[in-house]
Amino acid sequence: MEAFYHRHDIRDNVWTLLEPHLPGQRGQWGVIAQDNRCFIDAVFWVLQTRAP
């Protein structure tokens, strides 16, 4: 991850716990995700800013 963080970004220690439980990883059926962390950060941004 880049050197700067925003309020909505997932911290590294939380991401380490969350990442193995997300779909789209190698060895699983379906498409391999491009960037699960970016997607989860975006979801948190929408929830925290109440963006429509």
Coordinates of all heavy atoms in Angstrom, one line a residue:
M1 N 0.8 -1.2 0.0 CA 0.0 0.0 0.0 C 0.9 1.2 0.0 O 2.0 1.2 0.4 CB -0.9 0.0 1.2 CG -1.9 1.1 1.2 SD -3.3 0.7 2.2 CE -4.4 1.9 1.6
E2 N 0.3 2.3 -0.5 CA 1.1 3.5 -0.6 C 1.4 4.1 0.8 O 0.8 3.7 1.8 CB 0.4 4.6 -1.4 CG 0.2 4.1 -2.8 CD -0.6 5.1 -3.7 OE1 -0.9 6.1 -3.2 OE2 -0.8 4.8 -4.9
A3 N 2.3 5.1 0.9 CA 2.8 5.6 2.2 C 1.8 6.5 2.9 O 1.9 6.8 4.0 CB 4.1 6.4 1.9
F4 N 0.7 6.9 2.2 CA -0.3 7.8 2.8 C -1.6 7.0 3.1 O -1.9 6.0 2.4 CB -0.5 9.0 2.0 CG -1.1 8.7 0.6 CD1 -2.5 8.7 0.4 CD2 -0.3 8.5 -0.4 CE1 -3.0 8.4 -0.8 CE2 -0.8 8.2 -1.7 CZ -2.1 8.2 -1.9
Y5 N -2.3 7.4 4.1 CA -3.5 6.8 4.4 C -4.6 7.8 4.5 O -4.4 9.0 4.8 CB -3.4 6.1 5.8 CG -2.5 4.9 5.8 CD1 -1.1 5.0 6.1 CD2 -2.9 3.6 5.4 CE1 -0.3 4.0 6.1 CE2 -2.1 2.6 5.3 CZ -0.7 2.7 5.7 OH 0.1 1.7 5.7
H6 N -5.8 7.4 4.3 CA -7.0 8.2 4.4 C -7.8 7.6 5.6 O -7.6 6.5 6.1 CB -7.9 8.2 3.1 CG -7.1 8.7 2.0 ND1 -6.9 10.1 1.8 CD2 -6.5 8.1 0.9 CE1 -6.2 10.3 0.7 NE2 -6.0 9.1 0.1
R7 N -8.8 8.4 6.0 CA -9.6 8.0 7.2 C -10.3 6.6 6.9 O -10.5 5.8 7.8 CB -10.7 9.0 7.4 CG -10.3 10.3 8.0 CD -11.4 11.2 8.2 NE -12.1 11.5 6.9 CZ -13.4 11.8 6.8 NH1 -14.1 12.0 7.9 NH2 -13.9 12.1 5.6
H8 N -10.7 6.4 5.7 CA -11.5 5.2 5.4 C -10.6 4.0 5.0 O -11.2 2.9 4.8 CB -12.4 5.5 4.2 CG -11.7 6.0 3.0 ND1 -11.4 7.4 2.9 CD2 -11.2 5.4 1.9 CE1 -10.8 7.5 1.7 NE2 -10.7 6.4 1.1
D9 N -9.3 4.1 4.9 CA -8.5 3.0 4.5 C -8.4 1.9 5.6 O -8.4 2.2 6.8 CB -7.1 3.5 4.2 CG -7.0 4.2 2.9 OD1 -8.0 4.2 2.1 OD2 -6.0 4.9 2.6
I10 N -8.3 0.7 5.2 CA -8.1 -0.4 6.1 C -6.7 -0.5 6.5 O -5.8 -0.4 5.7 CB -8.5 -1.7 5.4 CG1 -10.0 -1.7 5.0 CG2 -8.3 -2.9 6.3 CD1 -10.4 -2.9 4.1
R11 N -6.4 -0.6 7.8 CA -5.1 -0.7 8.3 C -4.5 -2.1 7.9 O -5.2 -3.1 7.7 CB -5.0 -0.5 9.8 CG -5.5 0.8 10.2 CD -5.2 1.1 11.7 NE -5.7 2.3 12.2 CZ -5.2 3.5 11.9 NH1 -4.2 3.7 11.2 NH2 -5.8 4.6 12.4
D12 N -3.2 -2.2 7.9 CA -2.5 -3.4 7.4 C -2.9 -4.6 8.3 O -3.1 -5.7 7.8 CB -1.0 -3.2 7.4 CG -0.6 -2.3 6.3 OD1 -1.4 -2.2 5.3 OD2 0.5 -1.7 6.4
N13 N -2.9 -4.4 9.6 CA -3.2 -5.6 10.5 C -4.6 -6.1 10.3 O -4.9 -7.3 10.4 CB -2.9 -5.2 12.0 CG -3.7 -4.0 12.5 OD1 -4.3 -3.3 11.7 ND2 -3.8 -3.8 13.8
V14 N -5.6 -5.2 10.1 CA -7.0 -5.6 9.8 C -7.0 -6.3 8.5 O -7.7 -7.3 8.3 CB -7.9 -4.4 9.9 CG1 -9.3 -4.8 9.5 CG2 -7.9 -3.8 11.3
W15 N -6.3 -5.8 7.5 CA -6.4 -6.4 6.1 C -5.8 -7.8 6.2 O -6.3 -8.7 5.5 CB -5.6 -5.5 5.1 CG -5.6 -6.1 3.8 CD1 -4.5 -6.6 3.1 CD2 -6.7 -6.3 2.9 NE1 -4.9 -7.1 1.9 CE2 -6.2 -6.9 1.8 CE3 -8.1 -6.0 3.0 CZ2 -7.1 -7.2 0.7 CZ3 -8.9 -6.3 2.0 CH2 -8.4 -6.9 0.8
T16 N -4.8 -8.0 7.0 CA -4.2 -9.4 7.0 C -5.2 -10.4 7.5 O -5.2 -11.5 7.1 CB -3.0 -9.4 8.0 OG1 -2.3 -8.1 8.0 CG2 -2.0 -10.4 7.6
L17 N -6.1 -10.0 8.4 CA -7.1 -10.9 8.9 C -8.3 -11.0 7.9 O -8.9 -12.1 7.8 CB -7.7 -10.3 10.3 CG -6.7 -10.2 11.4 CD1 -7.4 -9.5 12.6 CD2 -6.3 -11.6 11.8
L18 N -8.6 -10.0 7.2 CA -9.8 -10.0 6.3 C -9.5 -10.7 4.9 O -10.3 -11.4 4.4 CB -10.2 -8.5 6.1 CG -11.4 -8.3 5.2 CD1 -12.7 -9.0 5.8 CD2 -11.7 -6.8 5.0
E19 N -8.3 -10.5 4.4 CA -7.9 -10.9 3.1 C -8.2 -12.4 2.8 O -8.8 -12.7 1.7 CB -6.5 -10.5 2.8 CG -6.1 -10.9 1.3 CD -4.7 -10.5 1.0 OE1 -3.8 -10.4 2.0 OE2 -4.4 -10.3 -0.1
P20 N -7.9 -13.3 3.6 CA -8.1 -14.7 3.3 C -9.5 -15.1 3.1 O -9.8 -16.1 2.5 CB -7.5 -15.5 4.4 CG -6.6 -14.5 5.2 CD -7.2 -13.1 4.9
H21 N -10.5 -14.3 3.6 CA -11.9 -14.6 3.6 C -12.6 -14.0 2.4 O -13.8 -14.3 2.2 CB -12.6 -14.2 4.9 CG -11.9 -14.8 6.1 ND1 -12.1 -16.1 6.4 CD2 -11.1 -14.2 7.0 CE1 -11.4 -16.3 7.5 NE2 -10.8 -15.2 7.9
L22 N -11.9 -13.3 1.5 CA -12.5 -12.6 0.4 C -12.5 -13.5 -0.9 O -11.5 -14.2 -1.1 CB -11.9 -11.3 0.1 CG -12.0 -10.3 1.2 CD1 -11.2 -9.0 0.9 CD2 -13.4 -9.9 1.4
P23 N -13.5 -13.4 -1.7 CA -13.4 -14.2 -3.0 C -12.5 -13.6 -4.0 O -12.0 -12.5 -3.8 CB -14.9 -14.1 -3.5 CG -15.4 -12.8 -2.9 CD -14.7 -12.7 -1.6
G24 N -12.2 -14.3 -5.1 CA -11.4 -13.8 -6.2 C -10.0 -14.0 -6.0 O -9.2 -13.3 -6.6
Q25 N -9.6 -15.0 -5.3 CA -8.2 -15.3 -5.1 C -7.8 -16.5 -6.0 O -8.6 -17.3 -6.4 CB -7.9 -15.7 -3.6 CG -8.2 -14.6 -2.7 CD -8.1 -15.0 -1.2 OE1 -7.4 -15.9 -0.9 NE2 -8.7 -14.2 -0.3
R26 N -6.5 -16.6 -6.2 CA -6.0 -17.7 -7.1 C -6.3 -19.0 -6.4 O -6.3 -19.2 -5.2 CB -4.5 -17.6 -7.2 CG -4.1 -16.4 -8.0 CD -2.6 -16.5 -8.4 NE -2.1 -15.3 -9.0 CZ -2.5 -14.9 -10.3 NH1 -3.2 -15.6 -11.0 NH2 -2.0 -13.7 -10.7
G27 N -6.7 -20.0 -7.2 CA -7.1 -21.3 -6.7 C -8.6 -21.5 -6.4 O -9.0 -22.6 -6.1
Q28 N -9.3 -20.4 -6.4 CA -10.7 -20.4 -6.2 C -11.4 -20.3 -7.5 O -10.9 -19.8 -8.5 CB -11.2 -19.3 -5.3 CG -10.7 -19.3 -3.9 CD -11.2 -18.1 -3.1 OE1 -11.7 -17.2 -3.6 NE2 -10.9 -18.2 -1.8
W29 N -12.7 -20.8 -7.6 CA -13.4 -20.7 -8.8 C -13.8 -19.2 -9.1 O -13.8 -18.4 -8.2 CB -14.7 -21.5 -8.8 CG -15.7 -21.1 -7.7 CD1 -15.6 -21.4 -6.4 CD2 -16.7 -20.1 -7.8 NE1 -16.6 -20.8 -5.7 CE2 -17.3 -20.0 -6.5 CE3 -17.3 -19.4 -8.9 CZ2 -18.4 -19.2 -6.3 CZ3 -18.3 -18.6 -8.6 CH2 -18.9 -18.5 -7.4
G30 N -14.0 -18.9 -10.4 CA -14.4 -17.6 -10.8 C -13.2 -16.7 -11.2 O -12.1 -17.2 -11.4
V31 N -13.4 -15.5 -11.4 CA -12.4 -14.5 -11.8 C -11.5 -14.1 -10.7 O -12.0 -13.9 -9.6 CB -13.1 -13.3 -12.5 CG1 -12.1 -12.3 -13.0 CG2 -14.0 -13.7 -13.6
I32 N -10.3 -13.9 -11.0 CA -9.3 -13.4 -10.0 C -9.5 -11.9 -9.8 O -9.5 -11.2 -10.8 CB -7.9 -13.7 -10.4 CG1 -7.7 -15.3 -10.5 CG2 -6.9 -13.1 -9.4 CD1 -6.3 -15.7 -11.0
A33 N -9.7 -11.5 -8.6 CA -9.9 -10.1 -8.3 C -8.7 -9.3 -8.7 O -7.5 -9.7 -8.4 CB -10.3 -9.9 -6.9
Q34 N -8.9 -8.1 -9.2 CA -7.7 -7.2 -9.5 C -7.2 -6.6 -8.2 O -6.0 -6.6 -8.0 CB -8.2 -6.1 -10.4 CG -8.6 -6.6 -11.8 CD -7.4 -7.2 -12.5 OE1 -6.3 -6.8 -12.5 NE2 -7.7 -8.4 -13.2
D35 N -8.0 -6.1 -7.3 CA -7.6 -5.4 -6.1 C -8.7 -5.4 -5.1 O -9.5 -4.4 -5.0 CB -7.1 -4.0 -6.4 CG -6.3 -3.4 -5.3 OD1 -6.3 -4.0 -4.2 OD2 -5.8 -2.3 -5.4
N36 N -8.8 -6.4 -4.3 CA -9.8 -6.5 -3.3 C -9.7 -5.4 -2.2 O -10.7 -4.9 -1.8 CB -9.8 -7.9 -2.5 CG -10.5 -9.0 -3.3 OD1 -11.4 -8.7 -4.1 ND2 -10.2 -10.2 -3.0
R37 N -8.5 -5.0 -1.9 CA -8.3 -4.0 -0.9 C -8.9 -2.6 -1.3 O -9.5 -1.9 -0.6 CB -6.9 -3.9 -0.5 CG -6.6 -3.0 0.7 CD -5.2 -3.1 1.1 NE -5.0 -2.3 2.4 CZ -4.0 -2.5 3.2 NH1 -3.1 -3.4 2.9 NH2 -3.9 -1.8 4.3
C38 N -8.6 -2.3 -2.6 CA -9.1 -1.1 -3.1 C -10.7 -1.1 -3.1 O -11.3 -0.1 -2.8 CB -8.6 -0.9 -4.6 SG -9.1 0.7 -5.3
F39 N -11.3 -2.2 -3.5 CA -12.7 -2.3 -3.5 C -13.3 -2.1 -2.1 O -14.2 -1.4 -1.9 CB -13.1 -3.6 -4.1 CG -14.6 -3.9 -4.0 CD1 -15.5 -3.2 -4.9 CD2 -15.2 -4.7 -3.0 CE1 -16.9 -3.4 -4.8 CE2 -16.5 -4.9 -2.9 CZ -17.4 -4.2 -3.8
I40 N -12.7 -2.8 -1.1 CA -13.2 -2.7 0.3 C -13.0 -1.3 0.8 O -13.9 -0.7 1.5 CB -12.5 -3.7 1.2 CG1 -12.8 -5.1 0.8 CG2 -12.9 -3.5 2.7 CD1 -14.2 -5.5 0.9
D41 N -11.9 -0.6 0.5 CA -11.6 0.8 0.9 C -12.7 1.7 0.3 O -13.2 2.6 0.9 CB -10.3 1.2 0.4 CG -9.2 0.8 1.3 OD1 -9.4 0.4 2.5 OD2 -8.0 0.8 0.9
A42 N -13.1 1.4 -1.0 CA -14.1 2.2 -1.6 C -15.5 2.0 -1.0 O -16.2 3.0 -0.8 CB -14.2 1.8 -3.1
V43 N -15.8 0.8 -0.6 CA -17.1 0.5 0.1 C -17.1 1.3 1.4 O -18.1 1.9 1.8 CB -17.3 -1.0 0.4 CG1 -18.4 -1.3 1.3 CG2 -17.5 -1.7 -1.0
F44 N -16.0 1.2 2.2 CA -15.9 2.0 3.5 C -16.1 3.5 3.2 O -16.7 4.2 4.0 CB -14.7 1.6 4.2 CG -14.7 0.3 4.9 CD1 -13.5 -0.4 5.2 CD2 -15.9 -0.3 5.2 CE1 -13.6 -1.6 5.8 CE2 -15.9 -1.6 5.8 CZ -14.8 -2.2 6.1
W45 N -15.4 4.0 2.2 CA -15.5 5.4 1.9 C -17.0 5.8 1.6 O -17.5 6.8 2.2 CB -14.7 5.8 0.6 CG -14.8 7.2 0.3 CD1 -14.1 8.2 0.8 CD2 -15.7 7.8 -0.7 NE1 -14.4 9.4 0.3 CE2 -15.4 9.2 -0.7 CE3 -16.6 7.3 -1.5 CZ2 -16.1 10.1 -1.5 CZ3 -17.3 8.2 -2.3 CH2 -17.1 9.5 -2.3
V46 N -17.7 5.0 0.8 CA -19.1 5.3 0.6 C -19.9 5.3 1.9 O -20.8 6.1 2.1 CB -19.7 4.3 -0.4 CG1 -21.2 4.4 -0.5 CG2 -19.1 4.5 -1.8
L47 N -19.7 4.3 2.7 CA -20.4 4.2 4.0 C -20.1 5.3 4.9 O -21.0 5.9 5.6 CB -20.1 2.9 4.7 CG -20.6 1.6 4.0 CD1 -20.0 0.4 4.7 CD2 -22.1 1.6 4.0
Q48 N -18.9 5.8 5.0 CA -18.5 6.8 5.9 C -18.9 8.2 5.5 O -19.2 9.1 6.3 CB -17.0 6.8 6.2 CG -16.6 5.6 7.1 CD -15.2 5.5 7.4 OE1 -14.4 6.3 6.9 NE2 -14.8 4.5 8.2
T49 N -18.8 8.4 4.1 CA -19.2 9.8 3.6 C -20.6 9.9 3.3 O -21.1 11.0 2.9 CB -18.3 10.1 2.4 OG1 -18.6 9.1 1.4 CG2 -16.9 10.1 2.7
R50 N -21.4 8.8 3.3 CA -22.8 8.7 3.0 C -23.0 9.2 1.5 O -24.0 9.8 1.2 CB -23.6 9.5 4.0 CG -23.5 9.0 5.4 CD -24.3 9.7 6.3 NE -24.0 9.2 7.7 CZ -24.9 9.4 8.7 NH1 -26.0 10.1 8.5 NH2 -24.6 8.9 9.8
A51 N -22.1 8.8 0.7 CA -22.2 9.2 -0.7 C -23.3 8.4 -1.3 O -23.5 7.2 -1.0 CB -20.9 8.9 -1.5
P52 N -24.1 9.0 -2.2 CA -25.2 8.2 -2.8 C -24.7 7.2 -3.8 O -23.7 7.3 -4.3 CB -26.0 9.3 -3.6 CG -25.1 10.5 -3.8 CD -24.0 10.3 -2.7

